Amino acid sequence: MEELGPQIKKVIPSASKIEEYSGVLPGALLEYWRSYGWGGFHDGLFWITNPDDFSPVIKAWLAHVNIPKDSDYHVIARTAFGHLYLWDRQSGQTITISPHYSQIFTCPADSDIVSGNSDFSLKCFFSGQAASSLDFDDYKDKPLFKRAVKKLGILESDEMYSFEPALTIGSMPKLENLVKVKMVEQLVLLEQLGDVEVLHMDVSGHI
């Protein structure tokens, strides 16, 4: 967690809120909530989130995904550009939403989750969050985040960087097209602007 860098906009959830997610999310994540709360890292490039905030977003986006009825997905983290990481206690971090390109990435259930080791899986997820992979590249394959902060300012916890017009209706991923918007409202809107593409990623056969 310390490698994620200094924290911004930190909010420590109440003990009752943490208890509400006991048995739903990994114990390791709830310990992170107690110690670090919800907030941004890397100047707001990566955020640990309050899952409650994303209920309308999950409802909108997962209508297009064929998932088991007993699945219960929660957004546990997101990027400055609204890239969402979803967790299900039966399968782990198996759904990722890339809103600007109207894509949902799915992968098979995490073997550690299946064997009952959700804490290890959760720690692996967080340890793999490098700043270079969390950024959003422009049309010249150059990262946008630092330039977005300089132009638009650091995000609040309920904000994200988005493109105007949206990429799905013909815009280009350029700095001049970036705006700072309210996150939940924008994510719901982006789902409505184009056909959602579901891509299944399975790398197990290559490991």
Side-chain angles (χ1 to χ4, degrees), residues 5 17 24 34 47 53 57 64 78 81 85 90 108 112 125 127 129 132 137 142 146 154 158 166 172 179 190 192 203:
K17 176 57 64 177
V24 177
R34 290 186 182 96
W47 296 75
D53 294 340
V57 178
H64 298 276
R78 58 103 171 181
F81 297 92
Y85 301 95
Q90 304 291 334
D112 290 308
F125 166 73
S127 66
Q129 303 311 314
S132 58
D137 290 342
K142 302 295 184 182
K146 289 185 177 180
I154 289 179
D158 63 346
M172 291 285 288
V179 292
L190 289 174
Q192 300 169 358
V203 299

Side-chain angles (χ1 to χ4, degrees), residues 131-151:
S132 58
S133 62
L134 294 166
D135 213 323
F136 196 101
D137 290 342
D138 67 10
Y139 71 108
K140 294 182 178 179
D141 294 326
K142 302 295 184 182
L144 279 166
F145 177 70
K146 289 185 177 180
R147 289 181 286 156
V149 172
K150 184 176 181 180
K151 175 188 176 184

Side-chain angles (χ1 to χ4, degrees), residues 16-184:
S16 61
K17 176 57 64 177
I18 293 174
E19 180 61 27
E20 182 181 323
Y21 282 96
S22 178
V24 177
L25 296 175
L29 179 59
L30 302 186
E31 286 301 317
Y32 292 165
W33 286 7
R34 290 186 182 96
S35 299
Y36 301 95
W38 304 316
F41 299 84
H42 292 308
D43 293 324
L45 176 58
F46 178 75
W47 296 75
I48 296 177
T49 57
N50 175 1
D52 291 357
D53 294 340
F54 293 88
S55 295
V57 178
I58 288 181
K59 182 178 180 181
W61 283 85
L62 293 196
H64 298 276
V65 181
N66 184 19
I67 59 175
K69 291 183 179 179
D70 60 349
S71 294
D72 187 17
Y73 283 96
H74 301 277
V75 176
I76 62 168
R78 58 103 171 181
T79 73
F81 297 92
H83 203 82
L84 304 180
Y85 301 95
L86 279 61
W87 184 279
D88 171 58
R89 62 179 170 180
Q90 304 291 334
S91 56
Q93 204 284 294
T94 54
I95 289 185
T96 304
I97 297 175
S98 178
H100 297 295
Y101 291 116
S102 270
Q103 293 175 326
I104 295 176
F105 296 92
T106 69
C107 63
D110 190 310
S111 59
D112 290 308
I113 298 293
V114 175
S115 63
N117 197 353
S118 62
D119 284 351
F120 179 76
S121 178
L122 189 281
K123 291 175 182 178
C124 287
F125 166 73
F126 276 103
S127 66
Q129 303 311 314
S132 58
S133 62
L134 294 166
D135 213 323
F136 196 101
D137 290 342
D138 67 10
Y139 71 108
K140 294 182 178 179
D141 294 326
K142 302 295 184 182
L144 279 166
F145 177 70
K146 289 185 177 180
R147 289 181 286 156
V149 172
K150 184 176 181 180
K151 175 188 176 184
L152 302 170
I154 289 179
L155 296 169
E156 295 295 333
S157 59
D158 63 346
E159 294 178 330
M160 63 178 274
Y161 298 125
S162 191
F163 295 94
E164 195 174 87
L167 300 187
T168 52
I169 57 175
S171 181
M172 291 285 288
K174 297 180 178 181
L175 179 64
E176 51 264 40
N177 293 336
L178 271 182
V179 292
K180 188 162 61 170
V181 296
K182 291 296 184 181
M183 175 177 56
V184 171

